[in-house]
PDB file of all heavy atoms in Angstrom:
ATOM      1  N   ASN A1433      94.513  80.658  75.666  1.00  0.00           N
ATOM      2  CA  ASN A1433      94.228  81.896  76.400  1.00  0.00           C
ATOM      3  C   ASN A1433      93.434  82.807  75.475  1.00  0.00           C
ATOM      4  O   ASN A1433      94.003  83.440  74.584  1.00  0.00           O
ATOM      5  CB  ASN A1433      95.557  82.562  76.820  1.00  0.00           C
ATOM      6  CG  ASN A1433      95.328  83.919  77.443  1.00  0.00           C
ATOM      7  OD1 ASN A1433      94.201  84.282  77.788  1.00  0.00           O
ATOM      8  ND2 ASN A1433      96.412  84.681  77.592  1.00  0.00           N
ATOM      9  N   LYS A1435      91.902  85.527  76.107  1.00  0.00           N
ATOM     10  CA  LYS A1435      91.953  86.960  76.408  1.00  0.00           C
ATOM     11  C   LYS A1435      90.527  87.554  76.341  1.00  0.00           C
ATOM     12  O   LYS A1435      89.598  86.880  76.744  1.00  0.00           O
ATOM     13  CB  LYS A1435      92.948  87.669  75.466  1.00  0.00           C
ATOM     14  CG  LYS A1435      94.305  86.939  75.450  1.00  0.00           C
ATOM     15  CD  LYS A1435      95.375  87.658  74.722  1.00  0.00           C
ATOM     16  CE  LYS A1435      96.653  86.798  74.774  1.00  0.00           C
ATOM     17  NZ  LYS A1435      97.799  87.476  74.181  1.00  0.00           N
ATOM     18  N   HIS A1519      99.923  87.110  83.715  1.00  0.00           N
ATOM     19  CA  HIS A1519     100.116  87.258  82.277  1.00  0.00           C
ATOM     20  C   HIS A1519     100.761  88.610  81.978  1.00  0.00           C
ATOM     21  O   HIS A1519     100.488  89.604  82.664  1.00  0.00           O
ATOM     22  CB  HIS A1519      98.787  87.131  81.544  1.00  0.00           C
ATOM     23  CG  HIS A1519      98.958  87.065  80.059  1.00  0.00           C
ATOM     24  ND1 HIS A1519      99.092  88.201  79.293  1.00  0.00           N
ATOM     25  CD2 HIS A1519      99.090  86.010  79.240  1.00  0.00           C
ATOM     26  CE1 HIS A1519      99.281  87.841  78.034  1.00  0.00           C
ATOM     27  NE2 HIS A1519      99.286  86.512  77.965  1.00  0.00           N
ATOM     28  N   GLU A1521     100.180  90.804  79.828  1.00  0.00           N
ATOM     29  CA  GLU A1521      99.255  91.924  79.596  1.00  0.00           C
ATOM     30  C   GLU A1521      98.772  92.509  80.917  1.00  0.00           C
ATOM     31  O   GLU A1521      98.539  93.716  81.038  1.00  0.00           O
ATOM     32  CB  GLU A1521      98.093  91.460  78.706  1.00  0.00           C
ATOM     33  CG  GLU A1521      98.560  91.356  77.252  1.00  0.00           C
ATOM     34  CD  GLU A1521      97.916  90.253  76.451  1.00  0.00           C
ATOM     35  OE1 GLU A1521      96.843  89.763  76.829  1.00  0.00           O
ATOM     36  OE2 GLU A1521      98.506  89.871  75.426  1.00  0.00           O
ATOM     37  N   GLU A1591     106.821  83.286  78.508  1.00  0.00           N
ATOM     38  CA  GLU A1591     106.257  84.084  77.403  1.00  0.00           C
ATOM     39  C   GLU A1591     107.058  85.357  77.231  1.00  0.00           C
ATOM     40  O   GLU A1591     106.781  86.359  77.899  1.00  0.00           O
ATOM     41  CB  GLU A1591     104.798  84.444  77.703  1.00  0.00           C
ATOM     42  CG  GLU A1591     103.896  83.230  77.907  1.00  0.00           C
ATOM     43  CD  GLU A1591     102.469  83.572  77.574  1.00  0.00           C
ATOM     44  OE1 GLU A1591     101.880  84.454  78.209  1.00  0.00           O
ATOM     45  OE2 GLU A1591     101.915  82.910  76.678  1.00  0.00           O
ATOM     46  N   ALA A1595     107.288  88.487  71.967  1.00  0.00           N
ATOM     47  CA  ALA A1595     106.746  87.468  71.062  1.00  0.00           C
ATOM     48  C   ALA A1595     105.236  87.356  71.158  1.00  0.00           C
ATOM     49  O   ALA A1595     104.613  86.655  70.346  1.00  0.00           O
ATOM     50  CB  ALA A1595     107.386  86.104  71.375  1.00  0.00           C
ATOM     51  N   ILE A1596     104.639  88.060  72.112  1.00  0.00           N
ATOM     52  CA  ILE A1596     103.197  87.888  72.331  1.00  0.00           C
ATOM     53  C   ILE A1596     102.415  88.756  71.375  1.00  0.00           C
ATOM     54  O   ILE A1596     102.541  89.975  71.372  1.00  0.00           O
ATOM     55  CB  ILE A1596     102.820  88.237  73.789  1.00  0.00           C
ATOM     56  CG1 ILE A1596     103.483  87.232  74.743  1.00  0.00           C
ATOM     57  CG2 ILE A1596     101.303  88.243  73.957  1.00  0.00           C
ATOM     58  CD1 ILE A1596     103.190  87.512  76.200  1.00  0.00           C
ATOM     59  N   GLY A1597     101.637  88.105  70.523  1.00  0.00           N
ATOM     60  CA  GLY A1597     100.747  88.820  69.604  1.00  0.00           C
ATOM     61  C   GLY A1597     101.491  89.582  68.520  1.00  0.00           C
ATOM     62  O   GLY A1597     100.916  90.419  67.832  1.00  0.00           O
ATOM     63  N   GLY A1634     104.927  80.343  75.388  1.00  0.00           N
ATOM     64  CA  GLY A1634     103.859  81.147  74.805  1.00  0.00           C
ATOM     65  C   GLY A1634     104.445  82.329  74.065  1.00  0.00           C
ATOM     66  O   GLY A1634     105.458  82.917  74.486  1.00  0.00           O
ATOM     67  N   GLY A1635     103.777  82.739  72.977  1.00  0.00           N
ATOM     68  CA  GLY A1635     104.218  83.882  72.180  1.00  0.00           C
ATOM     69  C   GLY A1635     104.190  83.510  70.717  1.00  0.00           C
ATOM     70  O   GLY A1635     105.129  82.864  70.213  1.00  0.00           O
ATOM     71  N   SER A1636     103.089  83.881  70.042  1.00  0.00           N
ATOM     72  CA  SER A1636     102.935  83.634  68.584  1.00  0.00           C
ATOM     73  C   SER A1636     103.112  82.166  68.200  1.00  0.00           C
ATOM     74  O   SER A1636     103.679  81.859  67.155  1.00  0.00           O
ATOM     75  CB  SER A1636     103.883  84.555  67.804  1.00  0.00           C
ATOM     76  OG  SER A1636     103.532  85.906  68.026  1.00  0.00           O
ATOM     77  N   VAL A1637     102.631  81.256  69.057  1.00  0.00           N
ATOM     78  CA  VAL A1637     102.610  79.841  68.650  1.00  0.00           C
ATOM     79  C   VAL A1637     101.523  79.675  67.576  1.00  0.00           C
ATOM     80  O   VAL A1637     100.414  80.179  67.718  1.00  0.00           O
ATOM     81  CB  VAL A1637     102.304  78.931  69.863  1.00  0.00           C
ATOM     82  CG1 VAL A1637     102.180  77.478  69.412  1.00  0.00           C
ATOM     83  CG2 VAL A1637     103.377  79.070  70.924  1.00  0.00           C
ATOM     84  N   LEU A1655     101.039  77.961  75.803  1.00  0.00           N
ATOM     85  CA  LEU A1655      99.950  78.871  76.148  1.00  0.00           C
ATOM     86  C   LEU A1655      99.730  79.713  74.873  1.00  0.00           C
ATOM     87  O   LEU A1655     100.628  80.461  74.466  1.00  0.00           O
ATOM     88  CB  LEU A1655     100.312  79.739  77.349  1.00  0.00           C
ATOM     89  CG  LEU A1655      99.206  80.667  77.875  1.00  0.00           C
ATOM     90  CD1 LEU A1655      97.953  79.896  78.243  1.00  0.00           C
ATOM     91  CD2 LEU A1655      99.704  81.421  79.110  1.00  0.00           C
ATOM     92  N   ILE A1656      98.564  79.547  74.266  1.00  0.00           N
ATOM     93  CA  ILE A1656      98.337  80.104  72.925  1.00  0.00           C
ATOM     94  C   ILE A1656      97.283  81.185  72.987  1.00  0.00           C
ATOM     95  O   ILE A1656      96.181  80.936  73.507  1.00  0.00           O
ATOM     96  CB  ILE A1656      97.857  78.990  71.971  1.00  0.00           C
ATOM     97  CG1 ILE A1656      98.737  77.749  72.093  1.00  0.00           C
ATOM     98  CG2 ILE A1656      97.808  79.484  70.535  1.00  0.00           C
ATOM     99  CD1 ILE A1656      97.993  76.460  71.692  1.00  0.00           C
ATOM    100  N   GLY A1657      97.582  82.345  72.434  1.00  0.00           N
ATOM    101  CA  GLY A1657      96.623  83.443  72.373  1.00  0.00           C
ATOM    102  C   GLY A1657      95.873  83.411  71.036  1.00  0.00           C
ATOM    103  O   GLY A1657      94.949  82.615  70.825  1.00  0.00           O
ATOM    104  N   GLY A1658      96.302  84.258  70.104  1.00  0.00           N
ATOM    105  CA  GLY A1658      95.583  84.454  68.848  1.00  0.00           C
ATOM    106  C   GLY A1658      95.223  83.170  68.122  1.00  0.00           C
ATOM    107  O   GLY A1658      94.085  83.015  67.650  1.00  0.00           O
TER     108      GLY A1658
HETATM  109  P1  PGA B 290      99.811  84.965  71.289  1.00  0.00           P
HETATM  110  O1  PGA B 290      99.542  85.150  72.855  1.00  0.00           O
HETATM  111  O2  PGA B 290      99.781  83.480  71.034  1.00  0.00           O
HETATM  112  O3  PGA B 290      98.688  85.681  70.615  1.00  0.00           O
HETATM  113  O4  PGA B 290     101.143  85.561  70.996  1.00  0.00           O
HETATM  114  C1  PGA B 290     100.122  84.305  73.799  1.00  0.00           C
HETATM  115  C2  PGA B 290      99.728  84.712  75.197  1.00  0.00           C
HETATM  116  O5  PGA B 290      99.592  85.926  75.436  1.00  0.00           O
HETATM  117  O6  PGA B 290      99.505  83.874  76.093  1.00  0.00           O
END
Side-chain angles (χ1 to χ4, degrees):
N1433 173 13
K1435 310 188 181 185
H1519 189 276
E1521 284 146 20
E1591 300 206 301
I1596 295 179
S1636 298
V1637 176
L1655 184 57
I1656 312 154

